[in-house]
Amino acid sequence: MKHFASKLAVATLTATLGTAAMAEVTVKVAYDADPVSLDPHEQLSGGTLQLSHMVFDPLVRWTKDLQFAPRLAESWEQIDETTMRFKLRDGVTFHSGNALTSADVDWTFDRLKESPDFKGIFAAFTDVEVVDELTFDLKTSEPYPLVLHTATYIFPMDSQFYTGTTEDGKDKAELVKHGDSFASRNLSGTGPFTVTEREQGVKVVFDRFDGYWDTASEGNVDKIILTPIKEDPTRVAALLAGDVDFIAPVPPTDLKRVEENDGTNLITEPGTRIITFQLNQNRVDAFKDARVRQAIDYAVNNAGIVDRIMRGFGTVGAQASPAGYLGYDESLTARFDVEKAKALMAEAGYADGFSVTMMAPNNRYVNDDKIAQAVASMLAKINIKVDLQTMPKAQYWPAFDERAADMMMIGWHADTEDSANFHQFLTHCPDEATGNGQYNSGNYCNPEADALMAEANAETDTAKRGELLSKLEGILYEDAAFIPLHWQNLAWGARDGVHAEKIVNALNFPYFGDLKVD
Amino acid sequence: MLAYLVKRVFQAIAVMFAISVIGFAIQDNLGDPLRELVGQSVSEEVRQQLRDELGLNDSFLTQYVRFLGNALQGDLGTSYFFKEPALDVILKKLPATLELVAGATLIIVGFSVPLGVYTAIKPNSILSRLIMGLSIVGISIPVFLTAILMIFVFSVEFGWFPSYGRGDVVHVFGYWDTNFATVDGWSHILLPSIALASIMLPLFVRLIRAEMMEVLQSEYVKYARAKGIHPFRIYFVHALKNTLLPVITVGGVQIGTMVAYTILTETVFQWPGMGFMFLEAVNRVDTPLIVAYLIVVGFIFVVTNTIVDLIYGLVNPTVNLARMGA
């Protein structure tokens, strides 16, 4: 007990309650943001998924080593090319007391298809067909390899609870993107916790759900109080001072401090968000030449950036897919050789270099502006003069959409946890009709690569698909389609006795239901 | 007096109008609110559709006229993030900010008067020199740095005070929860109050000292001394009263400034007030909330300044308010 106030409070409590019933295990958590809404379908973001794993439960979920683990779906089997049959766990109840049935999954699926944020992920899926109370078929229009990947996004909602109208006559099921709705304030899921109190931007209180189905879980937390603390130093101080038990993220500058401090532990994992630069071929003729792009890749010292700017807190990358993803090719390593870079520039006829503009956000990715500065100075060594502009993300994204600079920074995490997703958004030939290449500010376009992606996305044989995707990564690497830098690592801080290392994962949604606290 | 008041009200309305135009004009340069509302892979088409629904594709004039029409009916728009009327959001956050400002004001008043008077009476003592030296340091260190330093010293190292938030608050009425009713509440508000006071306190010490020294040179003080009146009575009754006139004027303006400084203090201490809310709103491009905040804070400035002028008249009735307003 560190604070006067808490000391006093404890003293009073002990005096009045004496030897009360067994103490409740409360964990105070500080994140840099809180979920925007209690509606799991309103926004596809880390905050929403973190919330979903606490109060809802997915059909299947990722394990630490990126494998699938059954949750509400007990088992599944492919019954034909386009149908996956799922069997629901028996005896699962929602917070409202209603039993979970296939109808709830069907209802949830229909709602997902309506959600502007989620419908993209579910584009390949046509329908959920209810077979019986606990069995349903998830159907796709074509053979689709990412059925289970997508099933991790199906968090069944309590269809009875969300059906009907509110007192003021609004549909309870209504999905409102930027306004007030029943679902954004009330929830009933099957998850380990229920939300009992919420003041947006200030705190969310979660209480253990008595009827949670997963009694085998060793989780013993009765109450979680989540406080969003945006400021890095304050969040770290709150942990060090013992005001909170668990924080995320730990900023790179404080990793050592949290690790070396008595009573707190640092937990890190390689993340899956790749940070890259794109080279706009429409704006700069030189970028059309693969040798120039390679020269830039050779000139940029990825390892140096991870070491010096990220303080070791990143994983050097040479491709989009992180290790563990299907398609990850470990033979692709980061290129760094300034002499080689100069030679390539000379070969392409740009020995004297040229000038380019560069833009990067300054509050979106970890140390984004510093990374951009470093890259700019590295390019100076091969006579590419960079005019760098950094700006807050709110202004950066509109600039990115306009393709406002010759080189632009973008970080990407694949919503599907799949290699093809990187290509679809970042390096696919831009195509407004399909939305492919939506974030391809480099205008890189290689039909061969696109054909490989299309083939991979129709291939349900995992081994074959892996080969196709690796080949795709290889082509992009040879072409230097973009300049990969690193995957951002993830870091959590926890006080002694909070066994957080077991519940965190590369996707950054800790499974608090399984958290054990001494 | 009445003519003066009416004049001030008209001035206030003009100022508020100007603030609303400026606030509205800058929102276009803050960035795209849609990016904060949707996930990364949402297509441009869907985003355009949402922009239409939000009315973001209308011309500036259309948007402004719509805003003004609603504003006159007390509706300042709906926050994208909180999904509530922006004014409600701000009013909910206002008590926390006002309590913080009140805490800082208490500290400033409590310390600046004795310290200012002391350094004026004994300008050459070691203690005075120390106080003046520290005041320079206090003015020069930015609020957020003071705040972070205090957290690391008093929360992390010594563990005396909590590092963030409001702690146990007691509900008073309406949206008002108070920090001043529990020990925990007091322990939470102390550090942020000191941090917020850290810039103003030295300023006031120096101001009171300067004014006091000037007054102490005046004829009536010399006369009072000659009459053998007790020094304490001279200092604290006769001299201080005249010293405080300019201090009140400056003080009134500074209360407004302090509301602005709460943005930094609240952010560092995770104080759930409206300054913190504002910075978050800027990050999220929650434009309705940003504009509403500017209007509310502008309103606070206008009101405090008006009240200060009135108090000024009460403290020193020789001031001709009607002429001042002209």
Side-chain angles (χ1 to χ4, degrees):
Chain A
M1 271 307 129
K2 278 179 129 186
H3 305 308
F4 294 146
S6 26
K7 227 182 226 168
L8 200 82
V10 167
T12 344
L13 262 177
T14 344
T16 48
L17 296 176
T19 46
M22 222 168 53
E24 215 182 41
V25 180
T26 301
V27 173
K28 289 186 177 172
V29 175
Y31 275 145
D32 59 347
D34 63 340
V36 294
S37 165
L38 294 185
D39 186 338
H41 299 161
E42 190 175 320
Q43 188 186 70
L44 176 49
S45 67
T48 296
L49 290 170
Q50 282 161 3
L51 176 86
S52 295
H53 279 282
M54 290 169 85
V55 296
F56 295 91
D57 232 339
L59 293 178
V60 293
R61 77 179 183 191
W62 295 98
T63 61
K64 259 180 123 72
D65 49 356
L66 294 179
Q67 301 300 309
F68 298 105
R71 292 304 287 172
L72 296 182
E74 212 170 33
S75 61
W76 49 87
E77 59 171 334
Q78 191 88 41
I79 56 169
D80 65 44
E81 271 206 314
T82 56
T83 311
M84 185 84 94
R85 176 160 293 175
F86 287 88
K87 188 98 187 141
L88 283 175
R89 199 173 290 278
D90 197 6
V92 176
T93 53
F94 286 106
H95 299 154
S96 65
N98 298 331
L100 167 75
T101 67
S102 304
D104 296 306
V105 180
D106 188 19
W107 187 90
T108 305
F109 176 82
D110 291 343
R111 197 165 187 266
L112 280 162
K113 287 287 264 184
E114 294 292 308
S115 161
D117 275 38
F118 286 85
K119 68 181 175 194
I121 292 181
F122 285 87
F125 293 83
T126 52
D127 198 17
V128 164
E129 272 175 23
V130 175
V131 178
D132 63 39
E133 282 267 288
L134 296 174
T135 317
F136 64 91
D137 290 341
L138 187 52
K139 304 191 86 96
T140 54
S141 52
E142 306 283 326
Y144 189 59
L146 303 180
V147 175
L148 288 178
H149 297 68
T150 317
T152 63
Y153 283 99
I154 304 180
F155 294 85
M157 294 169 80
D158 187 344
S159 60
Q160 288 178 54
F161 178 81
Y162 291 100
T163 301
T165 51
T166 59
E167 278 169 17
D168 47 358
K170 281 198 281 187
D171 184 2
K172 286 184 177 174
E174 196 183 16
L175 175 61
V176 184
K177 193 75 204 162
H178 42 77
D180 197 4
S181 70
F182 177 77
S184 71
R185 304 211 179 267
N186 300 280
L187 57 81
S188 172
T190 58
F193 296 98
T194 55
V195 172
T196 47
E197 200 187 324
R198 177 166 180 260
E199 194 183 338
Q200 190 155 24
V202 178
K203 77 171 176 185
V204 192
V205 179
F206 298 90
D207 271 322
R208 189 96 186 171
F209 169 47
D210 290 335
Y212 187 48
W213 61 270
D214 191 358
T215 45
S217 163
E218 60 175 7
N220 67 344
V221 176
D222 301 303
K223 194 195 236 342
I224 291 178
I225 301 171
L226 168 69
T227 314
I229 303 186
K230 197 108 186 187
E231 285 300 297
D232 288 340
T234 313
R235 195 165 57 248
V236 173
L239 178 70
L240 297 180
D243 292 337
V244 296
D245 307 307
F246 180 76
I247 63 167
V250 179
T253 41
D254 288 310
L255 295 169
K256 244 185 153 163
R257 196 164 173 150
V258 171
E259 193 167 26
E260 287 170 1
N261 179 57
D262 282 339
T264 57
N265 301 306
L266 178 74
I267 304 145
T268 59
E269 287 237 351
T272 55
R273 185 189 297 283
I274 183 81
I275 306 296
T276 72
F277 270 104
Q278 294 178 337
L279 310 169
N280 195 326
Q281 303 183 18
N282 283 9
R283 292 174 58 105
V284 180
D285 269 340
F287 289 162
K288 289 195 173 109
D289 192 325
R291 288 168 299 186
V292 173
R293 301 197 298 265
Q294 282 168 3
I296 291 173
D297 200 21
Y298 273 110
V300 175
N301 182 0
N302 298 12
I305 289 173
V306 167
D307 191 39
R308 304 288 293 277
I309 296 172
M310 302 296 286
R311 303 195 186 211
F313 198 54
T315 308
V316 177
Q319 58 193 316
S321 315
Y325 273 30
L326 200 61
Y328 170 76
D329 181 352
E330 60 182 3
S331 70
L332 304 179
T333 51
R335 292 176 275 213
F336 175 55
D337 184 341
V338 179
E339 289 315 310
K340 181 92 190 264
K342 281 181 183 160
L344 281 164
M345 286 288 278
E347 208 183 305
Y350 293 101
D352 297 335
F354 48 86
S355 295
V356 294
T357 55
M358 179 191 275
M359 277 186 189
N362 57 22
N363 63 352
R364 177 64 188 89
Y365 309 113
V366 179
N367 292 328
D368 38 17
D369 52 338
K370 296 189 191 80
I371 293 167
Q373 280 161 21
V375 169
S377 65
M378 287 165 183
L379 295 187
K381 289 184 184 151
I382 57 168
N383 296 325
I384 297 179
K385 200 171 156 282
V386 176
D387 175 13
L388 171 66
Q389 201 185 346
T390 63
M391 61 197 84
K393 61 180 176 189
Q395 280 124 60
Y396 183 70
W397 293 123
F400 186 90
D401 283 345
E402 286 167 22
R403 315 290 190 237
D406 305 335
M407 286 182 75
M408 302 203 94
M409 181 189 272
I410 180 140
W412 197 261
H413 160 249
D415 285 330
T416 46
E417 308 303 335
D418 179 70
S419 178
N421 181 277
F422 291 109
H423 182 63
Q424 185 193 342
F425 284 99
L426 300 178
T427 43
H428 198 287
C429 301
D431 180 348
E432 271 185 31
T434 59
N436 286 339
Q438 194 182 337
Y439 288 83
N440 181 357
S441 80
N443 289 300
Y444 172 82
C445 186
N446 183 340
E448 194 193 345
D450 294 357
L452 266 173
M453 185 187 98
E455 203 184 336
N457 280 350
E459 179 56 69
T460 47
D461 182 323
T462 310
K464 275 191 204 156
R465 186 162 187 271
E467 275 171 35
L468 292 168
L469 291 172
S470 309
K471 200 172 159 198
L472 173 59
E473 287 288 3
I475 291 174
L476 299 177
Y477 179 81
E478 273 316 308
D479 256 357
F482 61 99
I483 310 300
L485 296 174
H486 53 262
W487 294 282
Q488 280 179 190
N489 283 4
L490 297 169
W492 301 267
R495 74 164 167 80
D496 279 350
V498 175
H499 298 289
E501 61 285 348
K502 288 186 186 161
I503 63 153
V504 300
N505 45 51
L507 309 126
N508 199 15
F509 23 78
Y511 300 138
F512 280 106
D514 297 338
L515 180 62
K516 188 166 167 271
V517 176
D518 293 340
Chain B
M1 188 80 175
L2 192 68
Y4 171 71
L5 252 179
V6 171
K7 245 177 201 165
R8 284 305 297 247
V9 168
F10 273 106
Q11 278 178 7
I13 291 172
V15 170
M16 297 309 297
F17 181 72
I19 291 174
S20 75
V21 175
I22 295 168
F24 221 77
I26 58 171
Q27 70 167 10
D28 273 349
N29 300 315
L30 289 172
D32 181 7
L34 254 299
R35 289 287 180 166
E36 290 296 311
L37 297 177
V38 301
Q40 60 178 9
S41 49
V42 170
S43 70
E44 182 55 34
E45 195 188 341
V46 173
R47 270 192 256 135
Q48 269 313 331
Q49 195 188 323
L50 284 168
R51 270 191 207 104
D52 272 338
E53 279 175 34
L54 288 172
L56 293 172
N57 287 336
D58 297 340
S59 71
F60 175 79
L61 204 65
T62 317
Q63 288 194 49
Y64 183 71
V65 169
R66 186 169 54 215
F67 167 79
L68 205 62
N70 291 336
L72 291 176
Q73 294 164 36
D75 175 10
L76 293 180
T78 302
S79 158
Y80 299 146
F81 179 70
F82 292 95
K83 308 173 203 316
E84 278 175 47
L87 197 58
D88 280 6
V89 174
I90 293 171
L91 290 180
K92 278 183 193 168
K93 305 282 181 189
L94 189 63
T97 297
L98 291 183
E99 291 210 335
L100 183 58
V101 171
T105 309
L106 278 178
I107 293 170
I108 293 170
V109 173
F111 284 90
S112 66
V113 173
L115 291 181
V117 171
Y118 176 80
T119 49
I121 300 169
K122 296 229 157 88
N124 295 320
S125 77
I126 293 177
L127 191 58
S128 288
R129 285 163 195 270
L130 188 72
I131 292 169
M132 297 317 286
L134 281 177
S135 74
I136 290 283
V137 177
I139 289 176
S140 346
I141 301 181
V143 173
F144 70 91
L145 204 62
T146 315
I148 290 173
L149 277 174
M150 284 202 317
I151 291 178
F152 270 91
V153 173
F154 297 109
S155 301
V156 177
E157 291 304 322
F158 294 127
W160 290 348
F161 296 101
S163 55
Y164 76 94
R166 280 188 87 181
D168 284 346
V169 286
V170 174
H171 185 75
V172 185
F173 63 86
Y175 292 143
W176 199 290
D177 291 323
T178 184
N179 264 83
F180 297 118
T182 60
V183 178
D184 189 51
W186 277 96
S187 76
H188 275 83
I189 202 170
L190 193 71
L191 292 188
S193 300
I194 295 174
L196 184 56
S198 68
I199 292 269
M200 299 294 166
L201 179 59
L203 196 76
F204 276 85
V205 171
R206 299 182 81 85
L207 183 68
I208 291 174
R209 175 178 181 264
E211 290 296 330
M212 187 80 177
M213 283 174 93
E214 204 179 306
V215 172
L216 288 182
Q217 300 297 321
S218 63
E219 294 299 323
Y220 80 92
V221 171
K222 286 179 188 159
Y223 177 65
R225 277 203 177 114
K227 266 176 72 178
I229 293 175
H230 193 276
F232 266 83
R233 201 175 154 73
I234 299 176
Y235 296 143
F236 288 99
V237 178
H238 298 286
L240 191 60
K241 199 172 165 188
N242 289 321
T243 302
L244 287 184
L245 273 176
V247 174
I248 288 170
T249 332
V250 177
V253 179
Q254 297 300 338
I255 285 181
T257 315
M258 213 141 68
V259 171
Y261 271 118
T262 57
I263 293 176
L264 297 172
T265 316
E266 289 182 3
T267 305
V268 175
F269 283 98
Q270 201 67 23
W271 191 261
M274 61 179 198
F276 172 56
M277 176 216 75
F278 176 69
L279 206 68
E280 294 271 276
V282 171
N283 279 329
R284 295 193 185 102
V285 205
D286 194 342
T287 38
L289 198 51
I290 295 170
V291 175
Y293 173 87
L294 293 176
I295 286 174
V296 169
V297 170
F299 185 73
I300 293 177
F301 260 86
V302 169
V303 169
T304 49
N305 284 356
T306 309
I307 292 174
V308 165
D309 284 349
L310 294 178
I311 293 178
Y312 199 85
L314 293 178
V315 175
N316 185 355
T318 57
V319 176
N320 187 337
L321 283 178
R323 213 184 57 224
M324 259 175 67

